[in-house]
Amino acid sequence: MKGLILVNAYTQNEHELNQPRRIRQELAGLGVPCDLRRNDFVPAWVAGGVRADAARGYDFCVYLDKDRYVPRLLEGAGMRLFNRARAVEVCDDKMLTHIALADVVPMPVTMSAPLCYTAGAPLSDALVGRVEEILGYPVVVKECYGSLGKGVHLARDRAQLHEIAARLQARPHLFQKFIAESAGQDMRVIVIGGRAVGAMRRTSKGDFRSNAELGGRGETAELTAQEKAICESAAQMLGLDYCGIDLLLSADGPLVCEVNSNAFFGTFERVTGINVARLYAQHIVNTMRSAS
Ligand SMILES: Nc1ncnc2c1ncn2[C@@H]1O[C@H](COP(=O)(O)OP(=O)(O)O)[C@@H](O)[C@H]1O
Ligand SMILES: [Mg+2]
């Protein structure tokens, strides 16, 4: 068996290669060699589909980028991707994730922002009225494509809502109920092969966003049976082999905040002592062996 590990074409620094190298190391330990490559080799689409030789020489691919086209091409050529193309696409878009999971697991009440084609157009009174009636202030405004907390904002009143919406405008975004009890803290749960393998509680002192990149500190945490069940259902619904789920800790119980198909595991491994790369490698090898 031989695998391909693909990373973003523009990956430059050594730090970004830690995660793929860890996965390669653990797969090698299980007797499965892998090539680690940037995804700019891109084989060509041809009329009527893809050439089967796009996947030649490899049994599977660990896909660590969010580009949507290369994974479709590789799957079209018959390759098994970890994670699958569709699962990565849905997770990349926070609104699509919400739509896929809203009936399956508890989540904060969320509204999509209508697309805006006119530069400078203000939010309509009707939309502002619905945000205020359904969600109230403060309200979370989130870019659909964002990570590391960078696209997550808090509007404390109508003026701030207008100001944030004006800044985001053409970028897809959503409005979400602010879970005040969870401000500055959440739970990051890693799910591999349908099983929640561990959790890290993240706490931030100065920011309602608890992302490690914004100063959130991690500590190992026990999962309740309910938290475990919610995370496993979400991962299963999205068809994910591997993910990191952010849970908000509301007064009414855990709520799924977002699902990261490409979650970094460096801090999580250090804090929890769980060998995430090995568990993922074992899942990949078991899946491939049981398929053959
Ligand atoms: N609705 C919310 N209520 C309270 N805090 C939130 C809410 N949504 C997000 N947060 C906080 O902001 C952080 C970042 O939001 P998240 O949706 O996970 O985006 P990102 O992809 O940037 O990590 C979360 O980890 C959480 O601490
Ligand atoms: Mg997050």
Side-chain angles (χ1 to χ4, degrees):
M1 201 191 307
K2 184 164 182 195
L4 174 65
I5 301 177
L6 282 183
V7 297
N8 182 268
Y10 296 92
T11 304
Q12 292 281 344
N13 60 46
E14 282 297 300
H15 176 71
E16 292 172 300
L17 290 169
N18 286 345
Q19 186 138 330
R21 284 183 178 145
R22 282 280 296 117
I23 295 171
R24 181 173 62 178
Q25 175 191 27
E26 295 294 344
L27 281 162
L30 297 172
V32 179
C34 290
D35 290 340
L36 170 52
R37 298 183 65 178
R38 291 175 173 77
N39 64 359
D40 55 1
F41 71 93
V42 200
W45 293 84
V46 292
V50 296
R51 286 165 32 172
D53 67 1
R56 180 167 297 155
Y58 299 106
D59 299 288
F60 65 88
C61 171
V62 184
Y63 196 74
L64 301 178
D65 192 22
K66 290 186 177 176
D67 172 280
R68 334 172 147 227
Y69 310 120
V70 172
R72 291 270 168 172
L73 185 136
L74 294 175
E75 282 183 354
M79 207 179 209
R80 170 68 156 95
L81 262 66
F82 297 86
N83 287 306
R84 295 179 194 277
R86 179 66 190 154
V88 176
E89 280 176 23
V90 172
C91 288
D92 193 28
D93 179 337
K94 289 177 168 54
M95 194 64 220
L96 277 187
T97 310
H98 188 87
I99 292 165
L101 293 181
D103 283 345
V104 180
V105 292
M107 300 184 89
V109 179
T110 299
M111 292 169 56
S112 59
L115 276 183
C116 177
Y117 299 109
T118 315
L123 292 180
S124 71
D125 290 345
L127 182 62
V128 171
R130 273 204 306 284
V131 169
E132 292 179 349
E133 180 194 327
I134 298 171
L135 306 172
Y137 295 113
V139 63
V140 173
V141 186
K142 242 183 236 193
E143 293 179 35
C144 293
Y145 302 96
S147 54
L148 315 180
K150 282 183 297 202
V152 179
H153 316 275
L154 197 60
R156 297 187 184 278
D157 53 32
R158 190 179 294 179
Q160 286 189 355
L161 178 63
H162 276 292
E163 187 241 311
I164 294 167
R167 255 189 289 137
L168 300 186
Q169 209 157 52
R171 275 175 282 174
H173 57 281
L174 57 82
F175 307 108
Q176 187 169 76
K177 175 120 187 120
F178 176 55
I179 308 302
E181 321 83 274
S182 196
Q185 58 166 329
D186 73 354
M187 194 88 107
R188 164 55 65 88
V189 183
I190 298 282
V191 184
I192 300 172
R195 197 171 66 83
V197 301
M200 172 172 80
R201 181 187 285 269
R202 297 184 302 191
T203 313
S204 174
K205 291 229 168 0
D207 201 304
F208 79 98
R209 300 162 298 181
S210 48
N211 301 70
E213 297 76 12
L214 297 174
R217 304 294 299 262
E219 57 184 335
T220 187
E222 289 294 316
L223 278 173
T224 65
Q226 185 191 24
E227 288 162 351
K228 214 169 171 320
I230 286 172
C231 292
E232 292 178 355
S233 301
Q236 189 193 9
M237 184 67 194
L238 297 172
L240 288 156
D241 293 285
Y242 167 85
C243 65
I245 298 184
D246 294 345
L247 288 181
L248 297 170
L249 306 165
S250 88
D252 300 325
L255 303 174
V256 173
C257 173
E258 68 148 349
V259 182
N260 300 277
S261 61
N262 296 27
F264 293 124
F265 56 63
T267 306
F268 187 96
E269 283 192 328
R270 205 167 46 250
V271 166
T272 63
I274 296 170
N275 188 332
V276 173
R278 180 170 304 165
L279 293 172
Y280 194 15
Q282 282 166 344
H283 165 70
I284 291 167
V285 172
N286 291 343
T287 305
M288 294 310 299
R289 293 225 164 104
S290 60
S292 64

